[in-house]
Each structure stands twice: as C-alpha cells, then as structure tokens.
Amino acid sequence: MVEFQQVCMAYKEKEVLNNVDLTIQDGEFFVLIGSSGCGKTTLLKSINKLLPVQQGTLKINGTPVSQIKVNQLPNLVGYVVQAGGLFPHLTVEENIALVMKVAQYPKEQIHDRVTAMLKMVNLDPALYRNQYPSQLSGGQQQRVGVARAFAVDPPIVLMDEPFSALDPMTRSELQNEIHALQKKTGKTIIFVTHDMDEAIKLADRICIIQSGHIVQCDTPENILKHPANQYVSTFIGENRLWSNPGYIRAADIMRLRPKTVNRGRTVLQALQMMRQGGVDSLLMVDEKEHLLGVVWLTELMEERDGSAPVEDYLSDDYVAVEEDTTLQEIIANIDYDAAGIIPVVDRQRILRGFLTKSSLLATMSRQFVPEQREGERSGVICATH
Ligand SMILES: Nc1ncnc2c1ncn2[C@@H]1O[C@H](COP(=O)(O)OP(=O)(O)O)[C@@H](O)[C@H]1O
Ligand SMILES: [Mg+2]
C-alpha cells in the first residue's frame, strides 16, 4: 500500500504538489493522468525517493519512505521511464543485471533470472541479451525496461509515460501485455500517462491531477459518467463515454414509463391502450410493478372475442435486461430479428424502463457521430458514389 498524507512538494518557491492525500491499494493498476507540468512525475519520484518529500507523510506498506534505506528501495519499487531509460553503453543483460546487483540479488541467480525476464516480455534471450539498446526498436527497448523493473520482483512498479514514444500498434500491444502481466503477477502498478484512452484501457482507478491537486480519483466508469468538474470533462472529451460501450449500462440509456397493462384487463381494453399509446406491445405487470411478460399487438389481433382476458396472450417470448447490464452485453445478446421492446428490470424484476432497437441504434450511433445540437438536424442524406 502506498499512502500520501498531506504531501506537498515544491521546486524552490514553486509549489508543485499541494496537499496530496492518496491511498493506492496493493494489486491496483493505478493510473495518474493530467496535462503536462501538473506534477505527475514529481509524484512518482517522491515514491522512489528520487525527490525527498518536503511536507506531509508518504508511506510504503506502513513505513515512511524517509525511513526506507536507498539500497532497500529496488526490492520494493521498480521504475520504468519513457523509452526504457536504458544505459546505452551496457548490453540488455548488463542493464537488467545492474539493478539486480544494486538490490543485492544473489549473483549466481542473475543469469537465469535475466533469461526468465526476457522471456516474460517476449524477447528471445539468446537473440537479445548481448545486444545494445541502440540495436533495438523502441518497443523492444521498452520491453527491456519492463524486464528490468520486474527483475528483483518488487511488489510496486512505477511507470512514467512508458509507451508515449511508441507507434500506435506497438503501443497497443505493450498496453495489452502490461495489463496481462499485472493481472498475472498481482503487482501494484502506478502508471503515468497523459492519454485518456490509455488510462481507460488499463486502470482499475484513474487519478486526475490539475496543477498539483487531485481533482478526481475513481474508477474509469465513474469518471466517465460523473466528471468532477469542467477540467475533467474537457480532459475526457465529449464522446468518450459513448466510445466505451462497456461502461454504458441499460439504466443510462433506457426510456422511462413504458406502457403497461394489468392482468385484469380484456383484449379490447388492451387494444384500445395500444391504439392510444401508439405502441405495438404492452408490458404486463402485477400490483407491485413486477414484470410478468409482454403482450404483442399481432397476437391480440387474432382474437375475435374482445372480452377475453388479455392475460391469455401473455408472451414470454422476449428478452429483458437488468439495469446494470452493459451496452456491450445487450448488443451481444439481443435478437435483432425478433420484435421490438426490451424491458429493463431491477434485481427484483420490478419494471424500471425499456429499450427499443431504435433507442439502441441511436445510442450506438453517438459513438460515431458527434451529438447534434438543436436546429442542426436539417439536410439530406445521400449515398456517395
Ligand atoms: N528540477 C526542477 N526544477 C524546477 N522546476 C521543475 C523541476 N522539475 C519539474 N519542475 C516543474 O514542476 C512542475 C511539475 O513537473 P512534473 O512533475 O515533471 O510534471 P508532469 O510529469 O506532470 O509533466 C512543472 O511546472 C515543471 O516545470
Ligand atoms: Mg512527467
């Protein structure tokens, strides 16, 4: 666990971190994000004692960092910087071994450990261990940087914009790998980025910093849905939530007050209600608003006796979703050929709202098309040739 209590940092007169209170739990993938110069690197460097904490307390697993000896630190905290931060005059193996020696890793085990670490980051040890950083691509250098940080198996790994100098493909590949590696090893990763897409993709929690202050620290989902202030909203960007369907839930997009019918009604009454409501289905509920099923217009129209109970036409041929079902799950599971309404219920099956295929389509299209403002709707859609 890493705990900041009222931590302040300054360069000469210039205050850079202002009363930071923050607890990072064991095993968390914790992402720090904010614009350039907001204090992210300063915060990271205070954790591995590259910068001394000037005011307040910073503890690692309950011990103030000021009491942790510098030579004990590599066993506790690994560090990955942009472009790997490798020493250019040392080979891949020497780069990794150097950190291990500082951490007093048993000498006779270093060779085998380097082999294991290179394999872990998908570099062939035989091919790469004796190469120099300049012989490697940016992505490969970064892999060595990760191997080096994990070499002595520290429980905490700090990563300062590790992938920002890489091309998009390599970057995405390394993001996937570090995510998998973190889940597999259960390490605490404190990862700095200025890229919101990267943060959303990786983080268990995102911490947004603005001029040395923490403005919001929460799960990606909560930050996307409830940005704390205008800075966060701007940072997230307008359509970000809509391009992450895993974070949109039925309750966020459902329409309210579906047309309902009670058991006691007749077919004629139900038909009348449909006509008035302009709908082709009614949701049947009991006295406590529990969903019983759907009544479809097409089936009622076959009945000649209008006084027959509508309950006889109750259909269980429909799919209901729960309020917290994600858009992704809804899209994956609904039957696009089947008819219209998708009731939304809570855990007790109480009816809360409904979705239709057109409301789903409208929601999905928002991730491709910026939202239109009032009065912008005119125009002709043409096929392009
Ligand atoms: N060694 C330094 N001396 C003076 N000012 C510095 C020094 N390092 C960083 N700063 C200033 O502190 C602020 C925060 O820097 P930093 O933590 O590196 O930000 P970030 O990593 O978020 O871009 C910036 O305004 C930066 O210019
Ligand atoms: Mg920085």
Side-chain angles (χ1 to χ4, degrees):
M1 198 159 78
V2 180
E3 287 169 281
F4 287 79
Q5 293 161 343
Q6 299 283 302
V7 170
C8 299
M9 304 275 281
Y11 296 104
K12 302 223 173 79
E13 306 292 272
K14 186 175 184 279
E15 191 156 70
V16 174
L17 291 183
N18 190 311
N19 280 327
V20 170
D21 275 311
L22 185 62
T23 303
I24 299 162
Q25 302 295 342
D26 289 343
E28 234 186 328
F29 205 125
F30 191 86
V31 176
L32 289 164
I33 187 165
S35 35
S36 175
C38 72
K40 306 179 294 293
T41 296
T42 305
L43 196 150
L44 272 201
K45 285 184 171 172
S46 67
I47 300 174
N48 65 0
K49 290 184 71 151
L50 287 175
L51 292 170
V53 172
Q54 291 158 342
Q55 225 185 80
T57 318
L58 170 51
K59 293 180 186 164
I60 300 179
N61 296 336
T63 310
V65 281
S66 52
Q67 292 173 21
I68 300 173
K69 295 209 177 71
V70 173
N71 66 357
Q72 292 175 337
L73 211 71
N75 286 307
L76 211 51
V77 184
Y79 192 37
V80 185
V81 296
Q82 202 175 346
L86 304 176
F87 298 108
H89 57 290
L90 299 182
T91 63
V92 165
E93 171 146 29
E94 288 164 349
N95 261 287
I96 299 173
L98 184 68
V99 174
M100 302 178 81
K101 284 175 191 155
V102 173
Q104 292 165 332
Y105 201 84
K107 275 205 180 71
E108 64 285 0
Q109 292 173 26
I110 289 181
H111 183 271
D112 288 350
R113 183 70 179 167
V114 169
T115 307
M117 288 297 101
L118 288 176
K119 281 186 183 158
M120 180 187 80
V121 296
N122 296 318
L123 289 177
D124 179 355
L127 211 58
Y128 292 105
R129 70 188 320 139
N130 294 320
Q131 297 211 341
Y132 286 90
S134 59
Q135 296 173 283
L136 307 177
S137 71
Q140 288 167 338
Q141 289 182 25
Q142 202 49 267
R143 286 170 196 274
V144 177
V146 172
R148 185 173 64 174
F150 278 67
V152 298
D153 207 19
I156 301 164
V157 177
L158 312 178
M159 304 184 85
D160 196 349
E161 308 207 22
F163 307 146
S164 52
L166 304 176
D167 67 88
M169 286 279 283
T170 312
R171 183 174 188 161
S172 166
E173 211 174 279
L174 281 172
Q175 286 167 347
N176 293 338
E177 288 179 24
I178 197 69
H179 186 259
L181 195 60
Q182 190 266 344
K183 292 290 165 250
K184 199 173 102 192
T185 56
K187 289 194 192 303
T188 310
I189 293 193
I190 308 176
F191 187 105
V192 165
T193 183
H194 57 255
D195 175 356
M196 199 50 155
D197 287 318
E198 185 165 79
I200 292 169
K201 184 169 169 186
L202 295 174
D204 294 319
R205 268 196 308 159
I206 296 176
C207 177
I208 301 174
I209 305 181
Q210 177 184 19
S211 335
H213 292 269
I214 292 177
V215 283
Q216 192 166 16
C217 188
D218 210 332
T219 59
E221 178 169 349
N222 284 338
I223 286 181
L224 287 173
K225 284 186 181 163
H226 313 290
N229 62 19
Q230 191 55 45
Y231 175 82
V232 178
S233 304
T234 313
F235 214 87
I236 294 170
E238 265 185 26
N239 291 306
R240 186 86 56 174
L241 178 60
W242 304 101
S243 53
N244 289 279
Y247 292 135
I248 303 172
R249 297 178 189 276
D252 300 326
I253 53 173
M254 69 187 179
R255 291 159 65 183
L256 303 176
R257 289 177 288 284
K259 305 276 182 246
T260 58
V261 61
N262 297 326
R263 274 183 176 137
R265 296 291 187 167
T266 64
V267 167
L268 196 63
Q269 287 172 330
L271 281 169
Q272 181 60 14
M273 291 159 84
M274 288 181 180
R275 216 178 340 263
Q276 274 181 349
V279 293
D280 64 358
S281 62
L282 294 171
L283 301 181
M284 189 175 281
V285 291
D286 67 11
E287 321 68 53
K288 292 192 171 141
E289 296 283 305
H290 291 102
L291 178 67
L292 301 173
V294 182
V295 180
W296 302 105
L297 174 64
T298 47
E299 293 184 23
L300 291 192
M301 287 194 338
E302 286 163 15
E303 174 62 72
R304 287 169 194 281
D305 176 10
S307 62
V310 68
E311 195 177 354
D312 292 353
Y313 287 88
L314 186 61
S315 164
D316 56 7
D317 184 17
Y318 68 95
V319 180
V321 299
E322 287 192 355
E323 286 171 300
D324 58 1
T325 309
T326 64
L327 180 58
Q328 220 159 27
E329 292 166 322
I330 299 169
I331 292 167
N333 291 311
I334 62 164
D335 177 358
Y336 283 89
D337 296 328
I341 194 161
I342 304 162
V344 180
V345 296
D346 66 12
R347 288 268 149 78
Q348 279 72 47
R349 278 194 81 76
I350 292 177
L351 183 63
R352 292 294 177 197
F354 69 108
L355 299 167
T356 61
K357 276 189 226 160
S358 65
S359 71
L360 276 179
L361 187 64
T363 301
M364 288 187 284
S365 67
R366 286 178 66 172
Q367 63 177 300
F368 303 114
V369 189
E371 228 174 316
Q372 283 176 322
R373 290 188 205 100
E374 209 73 34
E376 280 181 8
R377 217 167 284 274
S378 61
V380 180
I381 301 169
C382 321
T384 49
H385 297 283

